[in-house]
Amino acid sequence: MTDVKKYNFKVVLLGEGAVGKTSLVLQYVHGKFSEAHESTIQASFLTKKINLPGKVANLAIWDTAGQERYHALGPIYYRDSQGAILVYDITDKESFKRVQNWIKELRKMLGEEVCILIAGNKIDLESERAINLATCESYADTVGAHHVSTSAKINKGIDELFFNITKRMIEKADEKASNSLCRNGVSRASSRRSVVVVEDDVPQKKSCCG
């Protein structure tokens, strides 16, 4: 039986209030969408398992509040995250500017360790788009992120969004483990070589009769 490699990842959703973060998570985890909008209070937490060939990823998804009064709590929720999904509303240009601020903050706090995806949500309202798609995709490229167009209402792009960030987190985790293994191997090899050198340099005792 083939061994299955297991991963545990923390993913945080960030963005302005009413951009659809909660709707995206509920659609992805439970396959549900509600027209009624209820603002998230501080943060909510859901889990999802993703199966890939020979691998299983368990996602702990944190849906954070977007209201300004909860902004100071952001670091509490994205601390120790391996992935971050930055959500904006394609009909609200200001919500995209807020995403740019979040990315600066994430890079400052977590560096390149965190995998970032940008979600342009509510593409079911394409006729009301307020920001050019090419501009958003170009920006994502400049910050090492990937852009996905989504709609929680019509369930568009959501599986791609979470699959993409999971794939990136697995690649980064594997790369980190491989680098650690190489460093440890070099360290052990160096240690063994140093012992040999020391042994070679030890003067041989002469026989009292020599």
Side-chain angles (χ1 to χ4, degrees):
M1 184 176 178
T2 304
D3 289 335
V4 175
K5 194 170 183 179
K6 296 183 179 180
Y7 303 81
N8 294 304
F9 296 125
K10 177 181 177 181
V11 179
V12 62
L13 273 76
L14 300 167
E16 284 291 274
V19 297
K21 298 187 298 298
T22 301
S23 294
L24 286 174
V25 177
L26 290 178
Q27 181 66 267
Y28 180 61
V29 176
H30 298 303
K32 297 179 180 179
F33 175 80
S34 174
E35 292 281 2
H37 173 70
E38 293 184 13
S39 297
T40 301
I41 305 300
Q42 296 188 11
S44 62
F45 169 79
L46 291 170
T47 61
K48 180 78 171 182
K49 179 186 290 185
I50 297 183
N51 294 302
L52 297 94
K55 300 175 181 180
V56 172
N58 296 300
L59 305 185
I61 306 170
W62 288 83
D63 170 26
T64 64
Q67 293 88 345
E68 188 63 33
R69 65 180 180 274
Y70 295 122
H71 182 196
L73 298 175
I76 295 174
Y77 300 118
Y78 63 65
R79 184 183 301 136
D80 301 323
S81 295
Q82 287 78 39
I85 296 175
L86 287 299
V87 186
Y88 71 95
D89 177 349
I90 68 165
T91 70
D92 181 359
K93 187 178 290 188
E94 289 301 313
S95 70
F96 182 71
K97 290 181 180 178
R98 188 73 191 91
V99 160
Q100 294 173 306
N101 292 336
W102 274 116
I103 289 180
K104 290 177 183 176
E105 189 169 318
L106 282 169
R107 288 302 187 205
K108 181 179 179 181
M109 300 292 289
L110 303 178
E112 297 299 321
E113 291 298 307
V114 63
C115 297
I116 297 177
L117 258 73
I118 299 174
N121 197 36
K122 302 188 183 180
I123 57 172
D124 52 286
L125 301 176
E126 186 63 38
S127 61
E128 300 175 35
R129 177 180 285 276
I131 183 166
N132 183 269
L133 175 59
T135 299
C136 301
E137 291 177 335
S138 177
Y139 170 75
D141 287 339
T142 65
V143 294
H146 183 72
H147 184 281
V148 178
S149 295
T150 62
S151 170
K153 185 174 183 178
I154 61 176
N155 193 13
K156 186 79 171 178
I158 300 175
D159 285 341
E160 177 191 349
L161 178 70
F162 283 95
F163 178 81
N164 193 302
I165 196 166
T166 300
K167 184 169 176 285
R168 285 171 171 244
M169 290 188 296
I170 287 176
E171 289 172 352
K172 190 172 284 290
D174 286 349
E175 180 183 1
K176 189 174 182 180
S178 178
N179 290 340
S180 177
L181 189 62
C182 287
R183 283 195 300 270
N184 289 337
V186 169
S187 177
R188 286 194 295 269
S190 298
S191 178
R192 287 195 296 270
R193 285 196 297 271
S194 65
V195 170
V196 171
V197 171
V198 170
E199 289 176 348
D200 287 345
D201 288 345
V202 173
Q204 297 297 315
K205 285 185 178 181
K206 293 184 177 180
S207 169
C208 61
C209 301

